[in-house]
Amino acid sequence: MRNQRVWYHYLEDPYLHDSTDLVQLALCALPLFLILLGIGSAAIQSACSRAVAGEAPREGSPARLRPVLAVYVLRALVVWPLPVIVAVVADRFTGYHLDTPLPLERGTWPYTLVKYSPLAALFVAVLLRLALTLAPAAAAAGLGARAALRRSWSLTWTRVGAARVVALAVPLVALTAGLLRLVTQLALPLRPLVRGLLEDATGNFFAAYYAGILAPVIVGILVTAAVAVPLTCTAFAALYDRLSPPRRSPAIG
């Protein structure tokens, strides 16, 4: 992007930057981000579950994180493909980037149905996500990945379980969203500071510009995660412990 800016400046032509390079960079960094997110979340969930159960830290932590990591992967494969596929298909048939004539005529009921189908798919994904909310806590308690998903499903799809999961999830979502918004707003003074420092250090106006935009968001995400993730993991671990049937001691004699 910097080289293109220099070239167009040399030609004395106006330059509208292309964000394709940034998108490719973000997509390349996404797997690393997901791996770090999964490992960190699994470690926090395991620690919170042990704290709820009153257990002391144990050795062999990397091996014990595998079921929790597997739960995150399986849960993502169950929850998110449907809304993503439906959104892509809906955009293919109703997107404004399409040339006329459209595959579906605007104003007709098939067009409206396809256009708003991603909302229905997202609603289904939210229900599935709520039904599998207790799976990481179940995996941290010692179950395998598939067994943890089944246990979460069986505990949640009951009158008591569903009510308690929703009653716990809604305040946590509100707290997370509110804290993210508050911290991001408080961190907005970082935007011109980061932009000015990076532009002076690198001479790359566009990289400094985007870094300045992202700086308050990054600070907001980190602070929110530091507060909300341990609280959420502890809360759902405690709920899983409460909803799980008591373990029977083996009969003597």
Side-chain angles (χ1 to χ4, degrees), residues 8 40 115 136 170 192 199:
Y8 279 95
K115 180 180 180 180
V170 172
E199 187 175 358

Side-chain angles (χ1 to χ4, degrees), residues 53-128:
E55 300 178 0
R58 296 170 292 186
E59 297 181 355
S61 298
R64 297 182 184 278
L65 295 183
R66 292 174 187 171
V68 186
L69 285 172
V71 162
Y72 288 141
V73 174
L74 290 178
R75 187 172 65 180
L77 293 176
V78 171
V79 173
W80 297 117
L82 176 63
V84 171
I85 293 174
V86 172
V88 171
V89 173
D91 182 72
R92 187 180 183 87
F93 285 95
T94 63
Y96 285 97
H97 58 83
L98 297 174
D99 297 330
T100 54
L102 295 173
L104 297 175
E105 184 179 355
R106 291 191 178 98
T108 61
W109 69 266
Y111 177 88
T112 304
L113 185 64
V114 173
K115 180 180 180 180
Y116 292 102
S117 59
L119 295 178
L122 183 61
F123 178 74
V124 174
V126 170
L127 291 181
L128 291 174

Side-chain angles (χ1 to χ4, degrees), residues 85-240:
I85 293 174
V86 172
V88 171
V89 173
D91 182 72
R92 187 180 183 87
F93 285 95
T94 63
Y96 285 97
H97 58 83
L98 297 174
D99 297 330
T100 54
L102 295 173
L104 297 175
E105 184 179 355
R106 291 191 178 98
T108 61
W109 69 266
Y111 177 88
T112 304
L113 185 64
V114 173
K115 180 180 180 180
Y116 292 102
S117 59
L119 295 178
L122 183 61
F123 178 74
V124 174
V126 170
L127 291 181
L128 291 174
R129 179 63 175 78
L130 287 174
L132 302 177
T133 297
L134 302 177
L143 295 180
R146 289 183 294 181
L149 292 175
R150 290 194 296 267
R151 176 65 64 85
S152 177
W153 184 276
S154 62
L155 292 177
T156 304
W157 285 113
T158 61
R159 182 179 301 178
V160 175
R164 291 186 179 182
V165 167
V166 173
L168 188 59
V170 172
L172 288 173
V173 170
L175 173 65
T176 302
L179 185 60
L180 177 62
R181 176 69 175 177
L182 175 62
V183 177
T184 302
Q185 289 296 317
L186 293 177
L188 285 179
L190 290 175
R191 181 171 293 175
L193 177 63
V194 172
R195 182 171 63 239
L197 289 176
L198 285 181
E199 187 175 358
D200 293 338
T202 64
N204 191 334
F205 168 78
F206 294 108
Y209 174 77
Y210 285 110
I213 291 177
L214 292 176
V217 179
I218 293 173
V219 172
I221 291 175
L222 291 176
V223 174
T224 303
V227 175
V229 172
L231 177 63
T232 301
C233 291
T234 303
F236 283 113
L239 180 60
Y240 171 76

